[in-house]
Amino acid sequence: MRTLGNNGPSVSALGLGCMGMSDLYGPADEAESVATIRAALDAGVTLLDTGDFYGMGHNELLIQDALRGRDRDAVQISVKFGAQRDFDGNWLGYDGRPAAVKTSLAYTLRRLRTDHVDVYRLSRVDPAVPIEETIGAIADEVTKGHVRHVGLSEAGVETIRRAHAVHPIADLQIEYSLLSRGIEKEILPVCRELGIGVTAYGVLSRGLLSGHWGKDRQLAAGDFRSVSPRFSGENLAHNLALVDALRKLAVTKGATVAQLAIAWVLAQGEDIVPLVGARRRDRLSEALGALDLDLKPADLAAVESAIPHGSAAGARYAEQQMAHLDSETTTS
């Protein structure tokens, strides 16, 4: 178990990111998705991460189904809101207005069939709305008991400080992996200064660090990795060569590539909780094996030698999506 920041909840050391069960990675098996969530809970995972725009509500309904008959208070549900999409899945921008906070939360609570969410956060900073107004509206819902803790997502250092001045921030959700270490320079130190935890998504870099990716893999329609720079052409070949170097180390530890990559993130601090995006029970079981890896300083050094800081080829999102990342105003 780990605690999200100075004022956040106690959660399992690994959380389950549920996005891929509903969206952006191609088709998923709904029954297997529900079974995977339940298997995670049975294995001791308590943190489930979702967004109201993942499948336009579908992901929240999946979680509601998986939690049926279980103790709601034994689970922490983290929800992102604010992303605007149409029926065809097109991205229309972000809405952080106080009215949007309250409306989005009401719909989320109804889909989840619960009276509260444990962490509520704006998915991307809305440049048209001062962050103080968005956080203030979430804080109102904390007072009402509908939200337990306030989080942030992909926020830069100035936004983090401004938000935290309005209401204590439990955690910042942001990409962090061996291939994406931009937070280490400024964002992570500021979070630690303020007592804010980090829930790290993309710890396997959308599958690149899973050890299961091949250069000839065909992507299904709707899989956003088809437009991701790190999965394109020469970038992919370069990145897979890095994975091969990591694979050699994993063998010496009796682990898989994915387990070593997750264990590296776990080892970066007790204030960091990696989210694993397993969509199947076998992938979940593999990911949980990372908890059994004890990486010594020499192991960590070897991992970072295999995949040096900044060695990834290609940005973590396409250019249009990168423009929406407040965090990228201070990191790369």
Side-chain angles (χ1 to χ4, degrees):
M1 303 295 288
R2 295 185 172 187
T3 302
L4 295 182
N6 290 346
N7 301 290
S10 177
V11 301
S12 51
L14 286 181
L16 181 63
C18 300
M19 180 190 77
M21 298 175 180
S22 300
D23 214 353
L24 299 175
Y25 287 154
D29 183 303
E30 190 164 310
E32 180 62 22
S33 295
V34 170
T36 300
I37 295 172
R38 291 174 177 165
L41 299 174
D42 291 342
V45 172
T46 69
L47 178 62
L48 302 178
D49 181 75
T50 185
D52 62 12
F53 51 94
Y54 294 162
M56 282 63 83
H58 178 268
N59 207 235
E60 291 176 323
L61 292 171
L62 266 183
I63 291 174
Q64 178 255 118
D65 188 11
L67 292 180
R68 188 177 291 116
R70 292 177 180 260
D71 180 3
R72 167 66 183 89
D73 291 330
V75 181
Q76 296 84 45
I77 305 177
S78 166
V79 180
K80 292 179 291 297
F81 72 95
Q84 305 297 291
R85 302 180 72 185
D86 64 17
F87 183 80
D88 297 318
N90 297 308
W91 300 89
L92 308 175
Y94 298 90
D95 192 348
R97 294 172 302 149
V101 171
K102 297 174 185 298
T103 302
S104 298
L105 179 61
Y107 280 67
T108 281
L109 294 175
R110 197 55 77 88
R111 283 188 290 264
L112 289 171
R113 293 188 181 177
T114 184
D115 62 357
H116 73 279
V117 294
D118 297 275
V119 188
Y120 201 53
R121 69 184 86 243
L122 183 62
S123 59
R124 297 287 186 268
V125 176
D126 181 352
V129 179
I131 194 64
E132 290 84 355
E133 294 184 13
T134 304
I135 298 301
I138 302 175
D140 287 345
E141 298 299 328
V142 173
T143 301
K144 295 175 184 177
H146 298 316
V147 172
R148 296 283 171 84
H149 303 280
V150 183
L152 290 171
S153 176
E154 288 289 354
V157 292
E158 179 185 352
T159 302
I160 294 169
R161 291 188 183 280
R162 288 168 55 196
H164 193 67
V166 175
H167 188 280
I169 301 299
D171 71 316
L172 170 70
Q173 188 173 118
I174 195 163
E175 185 169 357
Y176 188 39
S177 73
L178 279 165
L179 294 179
S180 297
R181 296 177 60 181
I183 71 169
E184 292 177 347
K185 183 178 180 181
E186 294 182 331
I187 289 178
L188 186 55
V190 166
C191 286
R192 286 174 169 164
E193 172 195 336
L194 299 176
I196 298 171
V198 170
T199 42
Y201 75 87
V203 293
L204 295 181
S205 197
R206 313 315 198 284
L208 270 177
L209 291 170
S210 69
H212 304 294
W213 203 272
K215 63 179 181 178
D216 298 322
R217 179 167 172 173
Q218 297 298 308
L219 295 175
D223 192 321
F224 93 103
R225 289 171 292 193
S226 63
V227 295
S228 172
R230 290 186 177 172
F231 289 83
S232 302
E234 293 181 1
N235 287 349
L236 179 60
H238 171 90
N239 293 329
L240 288 178
L242 296 175
V243 175
D244 285 340
L246 190 64
R247 193 188 312 275
K248 294 175 183 177
L249 288 176
V251 170
T252 68
K253 298 295 293 183
T256 67
V257 175
Q259 289 168 343
L260 187 55
I262 296 167
W264 179 87
V265 178
L266 280 165
Q268 301 312 300
E270 290 290 321
D271 53 350
I272 297 173
V273 175
L275 300 172
V276 296
R279 302 196 294 173
R280 303 186 336 228
R281 283 168 288 182
D282 58 337
R283 293 286 193 258
L284 171 69
S285 179
E286 179 185 12
L288 292 176
L291 295 167
D292 297 325
L293 278 182
D294 180 20
L295 300 183
K296 306 298 184 185
D299 298 320
L300 295 171
V303 168
E304 292 172 20
S305 177
I307 302 185
H309 191 308
S311 60
R316 57 194 184 101
Y317 285 103
E319 184 176 355
Q320 183 178 10
Q321 293 170 302
M322 289 290 286
H324 292 294
L325 299 179
D326 183 68
S327 57
E328 290 294 326
T329 63
T330 54
T331 66
S332 60

